[in-house]
Amino acid sequence: MTHTLKHRLARLVRSSLAAGVAALACLAGSPALAQLDHTMTPIAIPAQPNAIELGTGPLPGATAPEAWHSQYGSVFARNVTVATLTPFLPDPTKATGAAVIVAPGGGFRTLSMNNEGWDVAQALADRGVAAFVLKYRLNQTPQDMPAFERSMAEMFSGTARRPPAPQDASVTLAPQIADARAAFALVRSRAKEWKVDSDRIGMVGFSAGAMLTMATTLYGQDAKPAHIANIYGPLAAVEVPAEAPPLFIALAADDPFFANAGYGLIDSWRTAKRPVEFHLYEQGGHGFGMYPKDTTSTGWFDAYVRWLAMHGYLKPKP
């Protein structure tokens, strides 16, 4: 990785990582989560017997090994150097043939594996949609937990709050886009085995995962998601491809990072006359995911499923 690319990645991560830390701050204030332990506690890497390596290789230059910790009754991965995909397949009698790649968030330094990964995938599988949790490669963090916590706090400083300069996501997120492309290729290669329709595979991402979802849509070449969802990710305007997929967006109006920068992404999709649905919740903060918060933002998943149904993804193809 060149010095220039490292510099670009560092600038991009300031915004997304700060959002990840903000998510934890927002969760701490939730009455429903107040009793959960906010301490970052190192844990052994959980068994992931169904995880499939994607073959994109180890993260160039990485030295810190993968590590996991618990917080808020959930688990988080960091220092991911080898990308994997974990299938959550529906009961064959419920399978619709639709599928979703699930990209957790965490500022490209951690991955919220429960709240924005496994829990989402299982809920989709329960509704007949095959889901696949993408554990994509991450920027390196200090191996020592106290040093990691300090680095997170530093990222959440006043410097981190300043909007970063525009970046070329096709370059800054090249490893993660490669992981997403490999995930789509793997699902398509095993579509018959997994009872998936190759042309009905979408992607949903949270925060940094939403950034990756958009980057995959714009720069993922052969990935070509059939439908996409941006859950509390940035909403900057983009140049929309001619055949851009239907887009679902959910954001809280009190999100400390992405609620006050306009809604250019929605305008871009509408101007291009492509389908877009936008849910702006009064409260919810950042990082609500599948946590049972006392805000209407908790309803985003049901709204997302209804949106999938409206587009025909909760029934087998005619």
Side-chain angles (χ1 to χ4, degrees):
M1 184 181 293
T2 67
H3 175 75
T4 300
L5 181 52
K6 286 182 179 179
H7 183 63
R8 286 179 175 177
L9 279 167
R11 286 194 293 171
L12 177 68
V13 165
R14 288 191 186 104
S15 175
S16 53
L17 179 60
V21 181
L24 301 179
C26 291
L27 291 171
S30 168
L33 297 169
Q35 303 305 313
L36 298 180
D37 188 359
H38 70 278
T39 306
M40 293 183 183
T41 304
I43 61 173
I45 296 178
Q48 300 160 78
N50 297 325
I52 304 167
E53 289 193 12
L54 285 170
T56 48
L59 185 71
T63 57
E66 184 173 318
W68 290 58
H69 63 274
S70 63
Q71 188 178 31
Y72 293 117
S74 186
V75 298
F76 299 79
R78 62 189 181 96
N79 291 333
V80 174
T81 61
V82 176
T84 67
L85 193 71
T86 300
F88 285 73
L89 302 178
D91 182 320
T93 63
K94 294 182 178 180
T96 67
V100 176
I101 307 292
V102 181
F108 298 106
R109 292 213 170 187
T110 66
L111 291 176
S112 179
M113 295 301 294
N114 275 131
N115 182 47
E116 298 170 353
W118 299 333
D119 292 350
V120 176
Q122 185 59 61
L124 286 167
D126 290 344
R127 288 158 175 80
V129 177
F132 302 86
V133 177
L134 175 59
K135 189 175 75 172
Y136 51 89
R137 291 172 291 173
L138 297 173
N139 296 341
Q140 293 266 282
T141 61
Q143 290 181 243
D144 178 70
M145 180 58 73
F148 168 64
E149 290 181 300
R150 286 195 298 273
S151 74
M152 293 287 278
E154 289 168 3
M155 283 287 185
F156 193 46
S157 67
T159 300
R161 283 180 175 272
R162 286 201 294 269
Q167 302 294 306
D168 182 351
S170 67
V171 176
T172 58
L173 298 182
Q176 293 79 20
I177 293 171
D179 295 341
R181 289 180 63 193
F184 276 90
L186 176 62
V187 175
R188 289 188 175 116
S189 72
R190 299 180 65 173
K192 184 175 181 180
E193 173 190 351
W194 287 335
K195 302 187 187 317
V196 166
D197 297 325
S198 293
D199 59 352
R200 303 175 80 207
I201 306 169
M203 188 171 184
V204 57
F206 301 79
S207 194
M211 297 180 194
L212 177 55
T213 297
M214 190 55 58
T216 301
T217 303
L218 300 177
Y219 311 112
Q221 302 177 44
D222 52 353
K224 298 187 182 305
H227 48 91
I228 56 175
N230 176 325
I231 312 303
Y232 44 80
L235 300 183
V238 300
E239 185 174 341
V240 181
E243 297 300 322
L247 168 62
F248 177 93
I249 298 172
L251 181 72
D254 60 351
D255 187 298
F257 291 93
F258 301 134
N260 300 307
Y263 308 115
L265 184 62
I266 295 97
D267 294 336
S268 297
W269 240 253
R270 285 173 55 83
T271 298
K273 300 189 185 310
R274 301 304 300 156
V276 57
E277 179 160 323
F278 177 35
H279 293 256
L280 182 65
Y281 296 99
E282 178 185 341
Q283 297 179 36
H286 188 86
F288 44 84
M290 299 297 279
Y291 285 122
K293 296 189 74 173
D294 298 326
T295 60
T296 55
S297 60
T298 299
W300 79 266
F301 183 78
D302 289 336
Y304 173 55
V305 169
R306 288 195 299 271
W307 178 80
L308 289 174
M310 182 177 71
H311 283 277
Y313 292 113
L314 294 193
K315 293 181 179 179
K317 281 197 301 189

